[in-house]
Amino acid sequence: SDFSGVLGKSSHFTWTTSDGDQLVIQHNMGTRNVIVQLFDNLHYENVDGPTVSRVDLNTIIMTADTPPPPGGWTVLLQSVL
């Protein structure tokens, strides 16, 4: 499949233990159509569970039951046009 013209901007952020159980990300992609994926920085396995709230066109808030472990999580963002 050809995804040209479908995928927009992408970015990544690190969510560390010191950030606590909530992370606010200003992604500035200008859309709520943002795919969010997390992975563990120690084992590189996907992380399931944190809630993602798309509060406006440029901001998401992620909330987890507990803070990330030492090493943290990487948050991948991809906008969809």
Side-chain angles (χ1 to χ4, degrees), residues 9 11 13 23-34 36 52-62 77 79:
K9 301 174 185 175
S11 192
F13 300 85
L23 181 67
V24 177
I25 296 178
Q26 297 289 135
H27 56 70
N28 297 319
M29 293 184 185
T31 182
R32 283 189 167 97
N33 296 337
V34 177
V36 181
V52 178
S53 299
R54 292 159 177 86
V55 296
D56 62 35
L57 297 178
N58 295 303
T59 309
I60 64 170
I61 297 176
M62 303 184 67
L77 301 178
S79 68

Side-chain angles (χ1 to χ4, degrees), residues 8-41:
K9 301 174 185 175
S10 64
S11 192
H12 69 280
F13 300 85
T14 301
W15 187 352
T16 65
T17 305
S18 64
D19 292 321
D21 61 1
Q22 189 173 77
L23 181 67
V24 177
I25 296 178
Q26 297 289 135
H27 56 70
N28 297 319
M29 293 184 185
T31 182
R32 283 189 167 97
N33 296 337
V34 177
I35 298 168
V36 181
Q37 184 175 10
L38 286 88
F39 67 84
D40 181 316
N41 290 334

Side-chain angles (χ1 to χ4, degrees), residues 67-81:
W73 297 329
T74 293
V75 180
L76 304 173
L77 301 178
Q78 176 73 57
S79 68
V80 180
L81 305 175

